[in-house]
């Protein structure tokens, strides 16, 4: 397939691109255009002539999102509309990358059809974008607690945030170098989630667009875990020095004024059953990530 992918230089996008090119032999087109400009998006899609679109790019600066609400709305909701309209004009399947933060943090083990109830600006903009995608016949791939390799840059952009992104890689990076790592804990954080692997997220999206599916899918592992449980499992899976792991509160600046959903655990059983994608245990996710780090690549679709 020839796939137009936005955000290919980002963490999740680099994993989607890796799966599509290395595992499926797809051609990924990823020129950066102004995604808020409908004409620019339509022009790029017409020029690229893709078989499918995956829209993964995101304005990822919380301070900027709060300071420029019009810009944030355009970067999330209008950009999604632009890619959805362009996909429909070209009569090709498309997928919006979304998040477990569309849930409010009390909707434990939310399923693909649990109605969202976001509690911060990011979650609201993503939920609004999801409505646009549903109404335009796209598929939605909610990614969450994404761990794995950043294939487009040598290190992760940050060591830890109030969510679960980069968490495992950051612990491994620190402890492998003999440096301590303080795992943030506290009710004000995203404290329970269903971690996934970046390459598995790409697998779900590839299955969604290749099969022309519509509706909502969860890119998640089979297990919900706390931050402490995930840190302990990481130390065990990678054979790291447990004495370097510490636990403490997050600094106030980590929150950028946002309220954070507490328990964003989900079920991905419908996704696995519908798309035929694997539903990995946490141990398997960590094992696969370890293999990616050791080999510098991804193998065939894991079972
Ligand atoms: N990481 C996680 O754990 C996580 C969790 C839940 C959901 N997600 C979702 O996954 C998606 C990707 O997140 P990520 O963590 O991979 O983000 P990221 O690493 O910050 O990557 C963001 C990507 O978006 C691109 N981008 C930013 N502004 C753009 C613009 N105005 N026009 C075009 N491209 C633009 C960036 O391109 P440049 O490199 O050129 O700036 C980059 O490729 C998002 O939809 C996010 O909501 C991620």
């Amino acid at each position: 397939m020839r796939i137009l992918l936005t955000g290919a230089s980002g963490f999740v996008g680099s994993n989607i691109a890796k799966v599509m090119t290395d595992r499926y032999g797809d051609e990924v087109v990823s020129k950066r255009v102004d995604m808020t400009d409908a004409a620019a998006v339509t022009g790029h899609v017409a020029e690229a002539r893709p078989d499918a679109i995956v829209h993964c790019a995101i304005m990822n600066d919380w301070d900027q999102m709060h300071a420029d609400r019009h810009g944030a709305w355009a970067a999330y909701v209008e950009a999604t509309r632009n890619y959805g309209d362009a996909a429909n004009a070209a009569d090709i399947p498309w997928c919006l990358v979304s998040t477990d933060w569309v849930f409010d943090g009390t909707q434990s083990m939310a399923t693909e059809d649990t109605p969202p109830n976001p509690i911060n600006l990011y979650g609201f903009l993503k939920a609004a974008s999801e409505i646009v995608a549903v109404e335009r016949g796209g598929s939605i791939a909610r990614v969450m607690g994404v761990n794995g390799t950043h294939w487009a840059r040598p290190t992760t952009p940050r060591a830890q945030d109030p969510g679960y992104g980069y968490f495992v890689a950051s612990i491994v990076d620190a402890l492998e170098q003999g440096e301590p790592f303080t795992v943030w804990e506290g009710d004000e954080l995203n404290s329970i989630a269903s971690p996934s692997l970046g390459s598995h997220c790409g697998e779900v999206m590839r299955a969604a667009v290749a099969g022309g599916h519509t509706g909502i899918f969860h890119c998640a592992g089979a297990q919900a875990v706390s931050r402490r449980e995930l840190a302990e499992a990481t130390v065990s899976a990678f054979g790291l020095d447990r004495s370097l792991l510490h636990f403490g509160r997050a600094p106030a600046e980590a929150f950028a004024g946002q309220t954070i959903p507490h328990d964003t655990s989900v079920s991905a059983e419908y996704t696995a059953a519908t798309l035929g994608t694997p539903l990995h245990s946490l141990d398997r996710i960590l094992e696969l990530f370890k293999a990616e780090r050791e080999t510098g690549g991804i193998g065939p679709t894991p079972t």
Side-chain angles (χ1 to χ4, degrees):
M1 293 182 77
R2 184 171 161 83
I3 294 171
L4 190 151
L5 170 65
T6 70
S9 59
F11 174 53
V12 176
S14 72
N15 275 279
I16 302 168
K18 189 86 174 162
V19 166
M20 291 177 171
T21 55
D22 292 11
R23 201 172 270 167
Y24 289 96
D26 293 333
E27 186 182 352
V28 172
V29 183
S30 60
K31 186 173 83 175
R32 180 172 166 138
V33 302
D34 180 357
M35 58 188 178
T36 67
D37 180 338
V41 169
T42 305
H44 183 217
V45 172
E47 170 197 313
R49 302 176 65 84
D51 300 309
I53 296 173
V54 176
H55 175 41
C56 181
I58 185 185
M59 175 195 271
N60 218 353
D61 182 328
W62 286 6
D63 290 331
Q64 186 188 355
M65 284 163 58
H66 281 91
D68 178 8
R69 302 295 173 100
H70 288 284
W73 179 267
Y76 281 71
V77 185
E78 298 300 338
T80 302
R81 180 175 292 128
N82 291 340
Y83 281 103
D85 285 347
N88 288 340
D91 196 23
I92 55 174
W94 70 289
C95 177
L96 168 69
V97 179
S98 189
T99 173
D100 55 342
W101 282 25
V102 296
F103 296 117
D104 65 15
T106 69
Q107 296 165 284
S108 184
M109 296 308 288
T111 61
E112 290 83 346
D113 68 353
T114 300
N117 182 31
I119 59 170
N120 58 35
L121 179 60
Y122 167 68
F124 175 78
L125 292 171
K126 279 295 195 182
S129 302
E130 287 191 358
I131 294 169
V132 168
V134 166
E135 292 188 342
R136 278 163 175 72
S139 58
I140 293 158
R142 291 186 183 136
V143 308
M144 52 203 79
V146 187
N147 292 291
T149 308
H150 197 316
W151 299 104
R153 49 186 290 176
T155 56
T156 58
R158 51 188 178 274
Q160 192 172 188
D161 62 28
Y164 275 59
Y166 313 114
F167 189 76
V168 169
S170 299
I171 291 172
V172 176
D173 284 345
L175 270 57
E176 275 186 348
Q177 289 164 27
E179 294 170 2
F181 186 96
T182 299
V183 174
W184 297 343
E185 290 188 304
D187 289 344
E188 71 279 19
L189 295 163
N190 192 182
S191 301
I192 304 171
S194 301
S196 65
L197 184 68
S199 53
H200 176 69
C201 300
E203 192 72 34
V204 170
M205 292 167 208
R206 210 298 175 165
V209 294
H213 292 275
T214 59
I216 297 171
F217 300 102
H218 283 172
C219 308
Q223 285 162 265
V225 288
S226 68
R227 302 173 80 87
R228 182 176 290 247
E229 288 167 335
L230 182 54
E232 299 279 10
T234 301
V235 167
S236 171
F238 284 79
L240 300 167
D241 179 356
R242 170 66 179 78
S243 70
L244 293 171
L245 208 56
H246 303 287
F247 299 88
R249 302 304 288 259
E253 60 267 24
F255 300 95
Q258 299 239 43
T259 308
I260 308 297
H262 181 72
D263 176 352
T264 58
S265 58
V266 301
S267 161
E269 288 182 13
Y270 166 83
T271 297
T274 305
L275 300 181
T277 46
L279 189 52
H280 297 305
S281 67
L282 179 61
D283 285 348
R284 182 73 172 134
I285 287 169
L286 294 172
E287 180 188 12
L288 291 168
F289 177 34
K290 188 162 181 272
E292 287 182 4
R293 276 179 77 96
E294 287 171 356
T295 63
I298 55 169
T301 304
T303 51

